[in-house]
Amino acid sequence: MEEKNRYYVVTKKAVPEVLLKVVEAKRLLESAKASTVQEAADMVGISRSSFYKYKDDIFPFHDNAKGKTITFMIQMDDETGLLSDVLHIVADYHANILTIHQSIPINGIASLTLSVEILATTGDISAMMQDIEIQCGVQYIKILARE
């Protein structure tokens, strides 16, 4: 059986330099200070392949996440009640659901895009993601955006 992702919060000093440079390159691209991945990679001193290897796996954790919106993409089996179970987990963590979009299932797999607002009462987002990911029928979860 495939092992599910686990999420950790670590201090900056424990993160390898290449990962910190990937975060910086992503920031340069998002702020339009770099117009291409190659330009951003050159500016921070990493290879383009290092950027692509880690870009989906590292992002800054902001202590001021309260009041922010996080958008998740979840791939899950087309099973009765699974969407309800996922939404129940979000409710248990006291996050406010802003939008839900579920695609028509193809080959028994549905893609769900879920945007949630992080409230002052919202629990640990990493734990929420992990609780969703371990649900039977959830194949994949990824943070698409943090606003």
Side-chain angles (χ1 to χ4, degrees), residues 103-114:
S103 68
I104 295 173
I106 299 174
N107 296 324
I109 301 291
S111 292
L112 174 71
T113 304
L114 182 67

Side-chain angles (χ1 to χ4, degrees), residues 109-132:
I109 301 291
S111 292
L112 174 71
T113 304
L114 182 67
S115 294
V116 298
E117 180 183 19
I118 308 306
L119 306 171
T121 57
T122 302
D124 180 348
I125 298 303
S126 293
M128 181 179 78
M129 288 182 64
Q130 193 168 16
D131 285 352
I132 291 170

